[in-house]
Amino acid sequence: GESKDGKSKDGKSKDGKSKDGKSKDGQQSQQDDSKTPGRDEIERARREMERAIEELKKKSRETAAEHQDEALKELIKAKEKLEEILRQLREEERKLLLAALEARFQKMLAMQLAVYQGTVTLGKVSEDDWVGRHTTQSIKLARDEEEIAVEAIKALTLLKEEGSSVSFPEAVIELREDMLVVSRRLEESKVGKLSQAIEKDIIESLEEMIDALQKELEKVEDEQKDQEKKDQQQQQQDQEPPLVDKLAELKMLRALQLRINRRTRRLARLIDGEEAVEKDVLEQLKELARRQSRVQRAARDLATGRNR
């Protein structure tokens, strides 16, 4: 399919050039360049700079200054265009991260509900009726709980990599600690009220976090649709937007404190008399004291802006 002059039937030579002498690569490059945001403005600025140089050579300072001003205007336009695109990318990245976290917590919630149901079912089996298969079932639930803890680590990694939130990572850390406690207890066939109470706390905590993330997602979507906020957003575009705003952080801190209060009350109902004597309950009370300190530290970090 080639003619004697080395051209193919479609009019292109062997070296990839078309009849007009331009290569395919060159055409592709031109197409790509034309799509680059701000390129036109930068090109116009370059031309104005060249004109300014020519005028300076002619010692026409006034005309040169005019070209310099035009070049500056074009560069500012290019900068604004690129900053707007960067802001949009940041918002989209934030939205994707919130959606990814919500999906992971939804998965964890479904898994935890299944473990809780299994624990409640085993908890109804009396000691006299407890046999080997019940132990096997409890161990299986322990393994399932460990898998949920692995999911919690993945969520925590996402939050720490993003780095702007204080209360949400703390909430996930507490969740994972509870999951590991539950896993150990189920491993030992401890399927009674304490294990069930901790699992119930995990479920409620996951539901709170999912609700908080859904609200943040809705807010991000509303902000993207709200054209009236465009000027305000442009003023703030040099700042990296936090994953969740301060109000959401405060709400999560409040939820963490309520969790401590809720767990304390649940433990109190398991205690006979005025003092906690059961070893497991004592350990839980000590853990709550540690969590109280961590929540106070998180509140201080949020107040002083140490997370930013």
Side-chain angles (χ1 to χ4, degrees):
E2 287 182 1
S3 61
K4 291 181 180 179
D5 61 358
K7 292 183 181 177
S8 61
K9 289 181 179 179
D10 60 0
K12 292 180 182 176
S13 62
K14 288 182 180 180
D15 62 0
K17 291 184 180 179
S18 59
K19 288 181 179 179
D20 60 5
K22 292 181 181 177
S23 67
K24 290 167 69 179
D25 291 341
Q27 290 173 343
Q28 185 65 41
S29 176
Q30 286 178 342
Q31 289 173 0
D32 291 343
D33 287 344
S34 66
K35 294 177 184 177
T36 305
R39 179 174 176 78
D40 291 343
E41 289 80 0
I42 293 170
E43 181 59 29
R44 285 196 290 270
R46 186 187 64 78
R47 288 198 295 268
E48 292 294 341
M49 290 175 193
E50 287 178 352
R51 289 171 189 150
I53 291 168
E54 290 299 320
E55 294 298 333
L56 285 171
K57 286 178 181 177
K58 296 175 186 176
K59 296 185 179 179
S60 179
R61 295 177 185 175
E62 190 173 328
T63 308
E66 289 175 3
H67 288 302
Q68 288 169 346
D69 289 342
E70 285 300 317
L72 184 58
K73 287 178 185 177
E74 294 297 336
L75 288 173
I76 290 171
K77 285 180 188 176
K79 175 177 172 285
E80 288 174 350
K81 190 173 285 189
L82 290 168
E83 283 179 340
E84 175 61 19
I85 290 168
L86 182 60
R87 183 193 65 76
Q88 290 172 359
L89 287 172
R90 284 173 176 168
E91 285 298 318
E92 196 60 35
E93 184 180 2
R94 179 183 168 208
K95 188 176 173 182
L96 288 171
L97 180 54
L98 287 167
L101 285 167
E102 188 208 343
R104 193 168 295 282
F105 287 133
Q106 290 280 15
K107 179 183 178 183
M108 290 163 65
L109 177 59
M111 295 168 75
Q112 188 62 63
L113 286 168
V115 172
Y116 177 68
Q117 189 58 51
T119 306
V120 171
T121 301
L122 286 176
K124 294 175 182 177
V125 179
S126 66
E127 287 186 22
D128 294 337
D129 294 332
W130 191 275
V131 292
R133 66 183 174 86
H134 295 124
T135 301
T136 302
Q137 289 171 9
S138 188
I139 291 172
K140 170 66 168 60
L141 290 174
R143 298 289 176 270
D144 292 343
E145 192 69 33
E146 284 178 3
E147 288 183 21
I148 308 173
V150 170
E151 292 296 321
I153 282 288
K154 293 175 183 176
L156 184 60
T157 301
L158 284 174
L159 285 163
K160 286 191 171 181
E161 284 178 354
E162 194 276 336
S164 69
S165 177
V166 171
S167 56
F168 278 76
E170 177 60 32
V172 177
I173 288 169
E174 290 187 9
L175 273 175
R176 182 174 176 273
E177 288 172 351
D178 282 344
M179 290 166 184
L180 294 177
V181 168
V182 168
S183 179
R184 286 193 295 270
R185 291 181 65 80
L186 293 175
E187 188 85 32
E188 298 168 5
S189 297
K190 294 179 178 178
V191 293
K193 290 182 179 179
L194 180 55
S195 294
Q196 292 175 30
I198 299 171
E199 288 182 43
K200 199 165 179 60
D201 268 349
I202 294 171
I203 290 167
E204 290 172 2
S205 300
L206 284 168
E207 288 172 342
E208 288 168 354
M209 295 189 76
I210 289 166
D211 182 61
L213 290 169
Q214 286 175 341
K215 286 177 180 175
E216 282 299 308
L217 263 171
E218 288 172 7
K219 193 173 73 175
V220 170
E221 288 170 356
D222 289 342
E223 285 174 357
Q224 288 178 336
K225 292 174 185 175
D226 191 355
Q227 295 300 317
E228 293 177 0
K229 292 184 179 179
K230 191 172 182 181
D231 292 339
Q232 180 186 353
Q233 288 170 341
Q234 285 178 339
Q235 290 170 7
Q236 297 173 346
Q237 60 199 2
D238 58 331
Q239 299 176 358
E240 191 75 30
L243 181 66
V244 293
D245 66 15
K246 188 159 282 190
L247 180 59
E249 290 274 10
L250 288 170
K251 285 180 178 178
M252 185 51 62
L253 275 179
R254 179 175 174 272
L256 288 171
Q257 184 61 59
L258 288 173
R259 254 180 241 175
I260 292 171
N261 299 351
R262 189 168 61 214
R263 179 73 62 82
T264 303
R265 287 195 297 271
R266 281 178 176 163
L267 290 174
R269 288 196 289 269
L270 298 174
I271 297 170
D272 294 323
E274 294 183 358
E275 293 186 4
V277 291
E278 189 181 339
K279 183 183 175 184
D280 290 345
V281 176
L282 283 171
E283 287 177 356
Q284 281 293 303
L285 288 172
K286 288 178 183 177
E287 176 58 29
L288 286 177
R290 286 192 290 270
R291 287 186 182 183
Q292 185 67 70
S293 297
R294 291 211 309 257
V295 169
Q296 288 173 341
R297 185 169 63 248
R300 185 172 62 249
D301 289 348
L302 186 61
T304 57
R306 285 182 62 186
N307 58 311
R308 297 298 290 158

